């Protein structure tokens, strides 16, 4: 089973044995899961993003050993699940220090009876002076070590800030290059699909990578039928679930066909990215615990290649939001070198709108 969490700067995935870190605008790299010493998390507060830090071994390219991501509340929940999953796999993510080994215990042998000698008067004097000199030297050494340690902490903190800035700049650069590429394609041949996006309408099959999707129905709902057991559990008994204050549910039911080469866990995995769009081109992610929505596939119920299933995606959106459609993309499979799709397939529900 694969685990994943998304961040503003990229995506982190694990199959339990290795961890793949894909930062926007940079080549992905893979680490053994045992190299992730711990995961530090800071929860988002209001409009302030949270933080997730992967703590790894220092390297020439990353002397601090820290990989920093900023996350929103949904991504933070993914990161928590990712952390718990790695822990359950028994991987070394909590960090530890091994005691030194190979040092033999030393003892002072007793002086045989009849061989006890009286110490010369100068021995205590020399010993005291030596202890004084050693004390001063050790004190100076500890002071230097503390100063050096403090300096290293300051430098490490600055390195993390620089690393985060560099990651953000790379992300912006990648987005600008993609936008320029789309503009160049449209300038050469108009809106001819050179951007790579596929646009369709309800009840049409639209494909992106190995994922084919058909929107069966969509619209606002006052409540959804949700498992009454609560978050993270299931008892097969359903009850109405209302949206939070000042929000509403916009619900889309789709038919998903798996045209990839591996089974897909639709409700507990992350086989593809799906978002809802409003008239201002703002993006919304589905609610958590999709397996608790009545009629949805159970957690870990894998959709086999070549088969299809029906999935209901509730989105919690502002009351005044005018929803116009869905977008989705195949995120690929790094374990089989299947590439992720850069662009989205779009299903428009309002004929007054068009996304290029």
């Amino acid at each position: 089973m694969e685990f994943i969490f998304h961040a503003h700067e990229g995506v982190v995935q694990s199959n339990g044995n290795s961890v793949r870190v894909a930062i926007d605008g940079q080549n992905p790299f893979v680490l053994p899961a045992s190299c992730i010493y711990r995961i530090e998390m800071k929860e988002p507060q209001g409009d302030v993003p949270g933080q997730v830090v992967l703590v790894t071994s220092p390297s020439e390219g990353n002397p601090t050993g820290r990989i920093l991501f900023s996350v929103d509340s949904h991504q933070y929940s993914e990161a928590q699940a990712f952390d718990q999953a790695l822990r359950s796999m028994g991987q070394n993510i909590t960090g530890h220090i091994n005691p030194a080994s190979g040092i033999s215990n030393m003892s002072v042998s007793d002086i045989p009876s009849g061989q006890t000698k009286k110490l010369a008067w100068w021995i205590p004097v020399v010993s005291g002076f030596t202890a004084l000199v050693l004390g001063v030297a050790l004190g100076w050494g500890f002071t230097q070590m503390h100063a050096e340690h403090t300096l290293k902490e300051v430098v490490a903190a600055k390195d993390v800030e620089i690393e985060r800035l560099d990651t953000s700049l790379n992300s912006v650069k990648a987005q600008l290059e993609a936008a320029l590429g789309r503009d160049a394609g449209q300038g050469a041949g108009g809106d001819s699909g050179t951007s790579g996006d596929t646009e369709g309408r309800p009840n049409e099959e639209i494909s992106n990578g190995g994922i084919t999707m058909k929107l069966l129905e969509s619209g606002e709902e006052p409540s959804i039928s949700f498992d009454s057991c609560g978050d993270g559990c299931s008892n097969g008994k359903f009850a109405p679930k209302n949206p939070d204050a000042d929000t509403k549910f916009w619900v889309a039911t789709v038919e998903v066909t798996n045209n990839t080469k591996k089974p897909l866990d639709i409700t507990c995995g992350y086989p593809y990215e799906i978002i809802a769009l409003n008239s201002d081109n703002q993006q919304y992610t589905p609610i958590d615990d999709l397996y608790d929505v009545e009629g949805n596939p159970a957690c870990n119920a894998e959709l086999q290649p070549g088969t299809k299933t029906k999935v209901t995606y509730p989105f919690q959106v502002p009351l005044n939001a005018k929803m116009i459609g869905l977008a989705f993309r195949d995120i690929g499979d790094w374990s089989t070198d299947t590439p992720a799709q850069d662009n989205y397939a779009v299903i428009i529900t309002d004929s007054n709108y068009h996304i290029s």
Side-chain angles (χ1 to χ4, degrees):
M1 179 178 177
E2 295 179 358
F3 315 104
I4 187 170
F5 80 83
H6 288 73
H8 292 177
E9 296 83 2
V11 181
V12 180
Q13 298 169 277
S14 176
N15 58 9
N17 296 317
S18 58
V19 176
R20 178 181 186 265
V21 181
I23 299 175
D24 294 343
Q26 300 182 18
N27 292 327
F29 58 91
V30 179
L31 297 170
S34 59
C35 287
I36 307 299
Y37 293 151
R38 64 179 180 275
I39 300 177
E40 299 174 355
M41 291 186 286
K42 181 180 179 182
E43 188 172 3
Q45 300 293 332
D47 295 332
V48 179
Q51 292 183 347
V52 177
V53 181
L54 302 183
V55 182
T56 67
S57 300
S59 64
E60 183 177 351
N62 182 14
T64 66
R66 296 167 65 87
I67 306 172
L68 176 66
F69 298 94
S70 55
V71 295
D72 58 29
S73 56
H74 178 72
Q75 295 165 343
Y76 182 79
S77 299
E78 288 184 353
Q80 285 182 307
F82 185 89
D83 181 29
Q84 293 174 0
L86 282 188
R87 290 178 185 273
S88 68
M89 294 296 293
Q91 300 294 346
N92 178 20
I93 62 172
T94 56
H96 67 274
I97 300 175
N98 290 324
S101 60
I103 301 177
S104 59
N105 294 324
M106 299 183 64
S107 61
V108 179
S109 59
D110 296 332
I111 299 176
S113 140
Q115 296 183 11
T116 303
K117 297 183 179 179
K118 183 177 180 180
L119 293 176
W121 65 268
W122 50 268
I123 292 180
V125 175
V126 173
S127 298
F129 179 76
T130 302
L132 177 62
V133 172
L134 286 174
V136 172
L138 288 174
W140 180 85
F142 282 126
T143 301
Q144 292 298 106
M145 289 173 61
H146 177 72
E148 182 179 354
H149 179 69
T150 303
L151 179 60
K152 286 182 177 180
E153 287 186 339
V154 173
V155 172
K158 294 300 180 183
D159 284 344
V160 170
E161 293 179 5
I162 293 172
E163 176 188 351
R164 182 178 180 183
L165 177 61
D166 179 64
T167 300
S168 300
L169 288 175
N170 283 332
S171 177
V172 172
K173 179 183 176 183
Q175 293 178 45
L176 286 174
E177 289 176 348
L180 290 173
R182 287 195 295 270
D183 291 342
Q186 292 174 1
D191 187 13
S192 60
T194 54
S195 66
D197 290 336
T198 301
E199 183 176 315
R201 300 289 174 177
N203 295 311
E204 295 178 357
E205 288 192 341
I206 307 298
S207 295
N208 182 274
I211 305 298
T212 298
M213 188 173 295
K214 179 166 65 174
L215 177 60
L216 303 177
E217 55 183 348
S218 63
E220 297 178 9
E221 298 289 346
S223 64
I224 57 175
S225 183
F226 204 74
D227 197 294
S228 61
C229 183
D231 293 340
C233 69
S234 179
N235 59 13
K237 298 179 180 179
F238 298 92
K241 177 181 177 69
N242 298 320
D244 295 339
D246 300 323
T247 67
K248 61 185 177 183
F249 282 133
W250 188 78
V251 182
T253 300
V254 302
E255 181 184 78
V256 179
T257 303
N258 177 11
N259 294 319
T260 71
K261 298 186 181 300
K262 292 182 61 176
L264 301 178
D265 184 355
I266 300 295
T267 56
C268 279
Y270 199 86
Y272 49 81
E273 182 179 4
I274 184 168
I275 54 177
L277 304 171
N278 70 4
S279 56
D280 294 324
N281 200 30
Q282 292 175 312
Q283 304 174 3
Y284 301 91
T285 55
I287 65 170
D288 294 334
D289 302 329
L290 289 170
Y291 52 85
D292 281 336
V293 176
E294 186 173 12
N296 270 359
C299 185
N300 298 329
E302 296 184 321
L303 180 64
Q304 300 299 318
T307 63
K308 62 181 65 176
T309 188
K310 187 169 73 171
V311 190
T312 297
Y313 287 101
F315 298 87
Q316 191 164 237
V317 302
L319 288 173
N320 62 350
K322 178 176 177 56
M323 308 307 294
I324 65 168
L326 286 174
F328 70 96
R329 71 181 181 94
D330 186 350
I331 64 170
D333 187 345
W334 62 272
S335 64
T336 59
D337 293 327
T338 303
Q341 299 299 305
D342 294 328
N343 299 310
Y344 291 86
V346 181
I347 305 175
I348 300 297
T349 59
D350 190 324
S351 57
N352 294 318
Y353 290 87
H354 168 75
I355 295 179
S356 60

